[in-house]
Amino acid sequence: MENKNFEDVFEAKLVKNDMIEAKDWMPENYRKHLIRQISQHAHSEIVGMLPEGNWITRAPSLRAKKVLLAKVQDEGGHGLYLYTAAETLGTSRDELLDALHTGKAKYSSIFNYPTLTWADIGAIGWLVDGAAIMNQVMLQRTSYGPYARAMVRICKEESFHQRQGYEIMTHLSFGTKEQKEMAQDALNRWWFPTLMMFGPPDSESPNSENAIKWRIKRETNDQLRQRFVDQTVAQIEYLGLTLPDKGLKWNETKKGYDYSEPNWVEFKNVISGNGPCNKERLAARNASHKNGEWVRAAATAYAKKNAEPFMAA
Amino acid sequence: MSDSQGPIWEVFVQKKAGQPFVHCGSLHAFDKEMALQNARDLYTRRNEGMSLWVVPSAAITASSPEDIGSFFEPANDKVYRHPTFYQIPDAIGHM
């Protein structure tokens, strides 16, 4: 009986577009869905540091290096905002990290692809962060307050990420013949994996229905993917590069582009652990966590010895 | 919840002198100093503030959402606390 009443209040808030806050009553499945989604999002930010970190020591100029350092540091920050947002739902940082390290939790499939050339750093900023922004702009109005607030901060910071990526692409595309080829090669390799970032088609997306019902998501995977394609085509044309999709065609009726679906079999393989870099990414995360163990142990011992009176509880 | 990452702290940022401190998020740290340094690195990478407060989450007492009605009720029926409750002659202009 009590529950029914709480549920009415919860539903009424969603209808009024009010936010749900950490201490509010919420259905158990809403809580679970959020913990899964927010922690996956956090893991993606953290694992996303790896493919880009790969190029910090080889950035082609000091300027490029400090920009990349700042960007990778931002991604780490985004992961931390999101972990703390997930923790407001009653999970702990240890549990969340453990799920990542044991492979129980997922992260964005895109970070299981390798960064082979400097142009990949351009393509990631421009396309991967561009796609992420599409999703994150929507999530600024998600129904869970702490998640929405984290998204507002993240969106403010992501804009620099996308612009720096496109700047790299312009340098290469208007550079030497070899540089332009490098840019084209990166576009060829990143285009379809980027489209996969929006998730499976609506007809096959198991979690979408609840996410829309609870206003966690406000647009579907296909809607966001379409908007991304429509926005990106002109940017590709400006660079003088060719979109690696022969099926791309303007559709006057829907005022948008028709495009070819990515290979969803590949997508399933990559998220279930068989992408080109899954093992490497997970091994890097685990090694980093293990190497930091002595720091956590020392800090815990220090905190015990020097406990602040207000921390006693 | 405390775990191997240290307890959670809430972070408040003041954008400019004279403005209120606003809650901007939380973080893990093992003591005050570390909390302050982490807050700087995490929440003020772009000059978002010039002053920071960090407060252990466990030290915060919050009102509970279920009690909103009765808890804030005393303010509901006191319209006379607002200036618009009072009639002032038009002739004297703005007051």
Side-chain angles (χ1 to χ4, degrees):
Chain A
M1 286 295 109
E2 272 294 88
N3 253 16
K4 183 77 193 119
N5 212 346
F6 283 138
E7 198 159 353
D8 289 344
V9 174
F10 174 82
E11 297 286 344
K13 277 187 186 159
L14 291 185
V15 170
K16 281 196 306 187
N17 268 329
D18 278 355
M19 296 265 179
I20 309 299
E21 291 292 338
K23 294 185 74 184
D24 291 346
W25 183 90
M26 59 187 84
E28 212 35 50
N29 285 337
Y30 175 82
R31 185 185 299 274
K32 273 197 201 133
H33 185 111
L34 278 172
I35 291 177
R36 188 183 52 80
Q37 180 172 332
I38 301 173
S39 63
Q40 273 183 20
H41 198 157
H43 300 327
S44 301
E45 301 283 355
I46 299 297
V47 176
M49 297 166 81
L50 298 170
E52 291 185 294
N54 184 32
W55 279 89
I56 290 174
T57 54
R58 290 175 286 160
S61 70
L62 198 55
R63 178 185 187 268
K65 186 180 197 141
K66 69 182 183 188
V67 167
L68 188 55
L69 266 171
K71 179 181 189 293
V72 173
Q73 190 191 6
D74 272 353
E75 306 298 1
H78 296 175
L80 295 178
Y81 305 154
L82 287 162
Y83 281 130
T84 50
E87 285 166 70
T88 61
L89 291 158
T91 177
S92 73
R93 183 72 59 93
D94 280 344
E95 284 176 302
L96 296 171
L97 292 179
D98 193 56
L100 171 66
H101 296 148
T102 55
K104 215 177 98 196
K106 298 206 177 344
Y107 54 86
S108 179
S109 59
I110 195 82
F111 301 117
N112 290 313
Y113 291 87
T115 41
L116 304 177
T117 71
W118 175 249
D120 289 9
I121 300 304
I124 288 184
W126 167 40
L127 298 174
V128 175
D129 288 59
I133 290 170
M134 213 43 89
N135 190 37
Q136 290 172 162
V137 163
M138 165 190 76
L139 288 171
Q140 289 183 107
R141 298 184 302 126
T142 189
S143 59
Y144 187 57
Y147 192 22
R149 291 193 285 276
M151 278 304 125
V152 171
R153 294 189 65 83
I154 288 176
C155 283
K156 261 188 214 157
E157 300 182 352
E158 286 281 355
S159 161
F160 129 59
H161 298 179
Q162 194 185 14
R163 290 172 64 114
Q164 67 85 34
Y166 196 69
E167 191 191 79
I168 292 173
M169 293 305 278
T170 56
H171 289 162
L172 295 173
S173 300
F174 297 106
T176 64
K177 186 169 160 282
E178 287 79 10
Q179 285 175 320
K180 188 167 180 183
E181 280 167 9
M182 197 193 272
Q184 181 66 56
D185 170 62
L187 174 60
N188 292 348
R189 283 181 290 109
W190 290 94
W191 176 253
F192 284 111
T194 302
L195 293 190
M196 294 177 197
M197 287 175 67
F198 296 97
D202 295 348
S203 52
E204 292 162 39
S205 178
N207 298 315
S208 277
E209 202 179 314
N210 277 338
I212 297 273
K213 186 183 90 187
W214 288 324
R215 292 186 194 259
I216 293 172
K217 290 182 71 167
R218 291 170 169 266
E219 286 169 287
T220 69
N221 298 352
D222 285 335
Q223 284 170 329
L224 292 167
R225 188 164 20 242
Q226 180 71 52
R227 181 164 331 128
F228 175 77
V229 171
D230 292 345
Q231 170 192 290
T232 310
V233 169
Q235 296 167 358
I236 294 172
E237 283 168 356
Y238 177 84
L239 296 173
L241 300 179
T242 311
L243 194 81
D245 177 5
K246 293 209 166 62
L248 187 94
K249 209 172 75 209
W250 177 255
N251 181 331
E252 186 57 31
T253 327
K254 70 171 182 187
K255 300 275 177 223
Y257 287 93
D258 290 333
Y259 58 90
S260 307
E261 291 285 320
N263 180 343
W264 292 116
V265 176
E266 175 183 324
F267 174 74
K268 284 200 184 100
N269 277 331
V270 176
I271 51 171
S272 43
N274 300 314
C277 299
N278 296 55
K279 289 197 178 68
E280 190 185 328
R281 302 292 183 238
L282 218 51
R285 278 312 317 151
N286 273 295
S288 159
H289 192 68
K290 193 159 170 282
N291 292 339
E293 192 147 24
W294 69 272
V295 180
R296 291 191 298 278
T300 306
Y302 166 84
K304 248 189 206 143
K305 245 168 104 180
N306 301 279
E308 318 265 12
F310 53 77
M311 304 297 299
Chain B
M1 202 177 289
S2 172
D3 52 27
S4 76
Q5 313 275 320
I8 297 179
W9 301 67
E10 301 301 327
V11 181
F12 299 80
V13 176
Q14 185 189 38
K15 214 168 162 184
K16 276 198 286 194
Q19 293 193 351
F21 283 74
V22 178
H23 181 248
C24 69
S26 38
L27 50 78
H28 287 257
F30 287 90
D31 69 0
K32 298 189 247 192
E33 202 185 335
M34 187 176 176
L36 211 48
Q37 284 170 355
N38 287 356
R40 175 202 58 198
D41 292 345
L42 192 54
Y43 291 105
T44 58
R45 285 197 299 281
R46 290 175 173 78
N47 294 317
E48 286 92 338
M50 52 163 305
S51 189
L52 280 169
W53 287 351
V54 287
V55 182
S57 242
I60 292 181
T61 307
S63 60
S64 59
E66 300 92 70
D67 301 338
I68 288 181
S70 56
F71 193 72
F72 294 104
E73 197 279 330
N76 280 342
D77 58 352
K78 298 181 179 59
V79 280
Y80 49 85
R81 282 176 173 164
H82 297 277
T84 46
F85 181 74
Y86 303 92
Q87 300 284 327
I88 298 295
D90 289 345
I92 66 156
H94 178 73
M95 178 182 272

